[in-house]
């Protein structure tokens, strides 16, 4: 019997709380189920809690976190820092304002890219709370290449593409792929059950992965990990990786990947 099948009484810790963690932190990967990620608050945000998922203290060269914003909560004042931001609405609705543009409403599946040095505000709609996954990364400047423009859109308005020719795969490149102005991609990856990558990947790029739909098994380093909705994985540079979707429906995850830049020696 799985410990979650045992009756839980209010105020009493569930059986399995000690012996059944799926959390693993390795040298160049971390598997982070949500139940162990504790909340904090950020001075620049009101009525908002934050759960950090990846940060330099883990080994990552970016930061990724979940923002849980109460109705009418959000940024205290415009945030303008020398970092890029990316936001993806997991649930709820927010208004985002980037630079001097008028505010745009983003609902579940909405996303925004904020270039470095550009101010933004975010406000949760009063009707209910919002959950946003957010990412910060220092921009890698290249002489002669312009900094990228802001992006605000809903993924539902984008077609699913498949450059691989492999049945059962699907992609949405939320940040234009191959555009050298950007130094990272954020991709929605779609998989039919049983459709894995053609090989175990071992590449220099890092990943931050948030599971949005379905379930499967994730190969990290040299071990398999069962994954489902709301789990997070950090994959460091050269972490061997493979995904094997299980279950009865498609699975979808949101994947950060640093690209388009040379190694720094
Ligand atoms: O594009 C990628 O690197 C992707 N195939 N990796 C992954 O989903 N772990
Ligand atoms: Mn990969």
């Amino acid at each position: 019997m799985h410990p979650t099948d045992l009756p839980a009484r209010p105020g009493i810790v569930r059986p399995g709380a000690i012996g059944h963690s799926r959390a693993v932190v390795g040298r160049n990967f971390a598997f982070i189920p949500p139940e162990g990620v504790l909340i904090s608050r950020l001075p620049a945000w009101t009525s908002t809690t934050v759960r950090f998922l990846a940060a330099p203290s883990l080994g990552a060269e970016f930061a990724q976190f979940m923002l849980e914003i109460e109705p009418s909560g959000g940024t205290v004042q415009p945030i303008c820092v020398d970092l890029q931001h990316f936001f993806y609405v997991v649930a709820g609705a927010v208004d985002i304002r980037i630079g001097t543009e008028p505010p745009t409403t983003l609902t579940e599946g909405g996303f925004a890219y904020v270039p470095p040095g550009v101010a933004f505000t975010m406000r949760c709609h009063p009707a209910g709370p919002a959950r946003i996954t957010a990412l910060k990364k220092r921009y890698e400047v290249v002489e002669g290449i312009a900094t990228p423009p802001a992006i605000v859109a809903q993924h539902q308005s984008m077609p699913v593409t498949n450059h691989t020719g492999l049945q059962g795969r699907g992609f949405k490149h939320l940040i234009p792929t191959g555009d050298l102005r950007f130094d990272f991609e954020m991709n929605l990856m779609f998989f039919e059950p049983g459709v894995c990558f053609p090989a175990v990947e071992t590449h220099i790029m890092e990943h931050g992965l948030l599971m949005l739909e379905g379930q499967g098994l994730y190969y990290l380093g040299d071990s398999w990990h069962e994954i489902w909705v709301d789990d997070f994985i950090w994959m460091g540079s050269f972490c061997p990786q493979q995904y094997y979707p299980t279950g009865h429906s498609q699975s979808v995850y949101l994947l950060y990947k640093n690209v388009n830049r040379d190694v720094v020696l």
Side-chain angles (χ1 to χ4, degrees), residues 169 189 197 201 203 207 218 235 241 253 255 257:
R169 296 290 307 271
M189 315 277 283
F197 313 152
E201 297 178 359
H203 51 65
H207 288 312
Y218 226 98
M235 286 169 253
Q241 57 200 258
Y253 56 72
L255 190 74
K257 184 177 185 178

Side-chain angles (χ1 to χ4, degrees), residues 23-256:
V24 182
V25 177
R27 185 191 65 78
N28 69 346
F29 76 86
F31 188 101
I32 305 185
E35 58 271 16
V37 185
L38 302 192
I39 62 162
S40 179
R41 290 181 176 75
L42 297 172
W45 296 73
T46 180
S47 302
T48 303
T49 54
V50 62
R51 296 175 194 264
F52 280 102
L53 300 167
S57 52
L58 182 63
E61 292 186 353
F62 63 101
Q64 189 163 351
F65 43 103
M66 292 296 303
L67 294 168
E68 293 161 1
I69 316 178
E70 291 168 27
S72 303
T75 48
V76 176
Q77 56 192 34
I79 295 178
C80 186
V81 288
D82 188 22
L83 292 171
Q84 308 170 89
H85 283 83
F86 182 89
F87 299 101
Y88 182 92
V89 181
V90 177
V94 295
D95 286 337
I96 185 162
R97 182 155 198 236
I98 302 179
T100 53
E101 295 296 313
T104 306
T105 296
L106 294 176
T107 57
E108 187 176 326
F111 61 95
Y113 167 79
V114 185
V118 174
F120 71 91
T121 61
M122 187 178 288
R123 174 92 21 229
C124 183
H125 282 198
R131 287 179 70 224
I132 313 285
T133 189
L135 193 134
K136 297 198 264 200
K137 180 187 185 296
R138 190 162 293 286
Y139 184 62
E140 294 173 57
V141 176
V142 179
E143 218 184 300
I145 296 184
T147 50
I151 301 174
V152 185
Q154 290 282 145
H155 90 74
Q156 293 87 341
S157 64
M158 301 171 68
V160 179
T161 58
N162 184 358
H163 59 278
T164 65
L166 293 171
Q167 286 179 28
R169 296 290 307 271
F171 301 80
K172 288 191 184 186
H173 302 287
L174 307 185
I175 288 180
T177 184
D179 184 336
L180 290 176
R181 293 175 299 173
F182 294 93
D183 66 4
F184 70 95
E185 292 182 354
M186 292 298 291
N187 296 319
L188 285 174
M189 315 277 283
F190 300 78
F191 302 83
E192 291 304 323
V195 177
C196 60
F197 313 152
V200 171
E201 297 178 359
T202 312
H203 51 65
I204 192 168
M205 304 84 156
E206 271 190 289
H207 288 312
L209 182 160
L210 182 68
M211 196 71 178
L212 296 176
E213 207 179 304
Q215 65 185 88
L217 297 171
Y218 226 98
Y219 183 72
L220 298 165
D222 60 2
S223 53
W224 288 95
H225 304 260
E226 191 174 8
I227 181 169
W228 54 75
V229 173
D230 288 341
D231 288 337
F232 178 82
I233 299 174
W234 166 64
M235 286 169 253
S237 210
F238 297 110
C239 173
Q241 57 200 258
Q242 173 63 281
Y243 180 50
Y244 187 80
T246 59
H248 301 277
S249 56
Q250 73 164 359
S251 45
V252 185
Y253 56 72
L254 176 67
L255 190 74
Y256 160 84

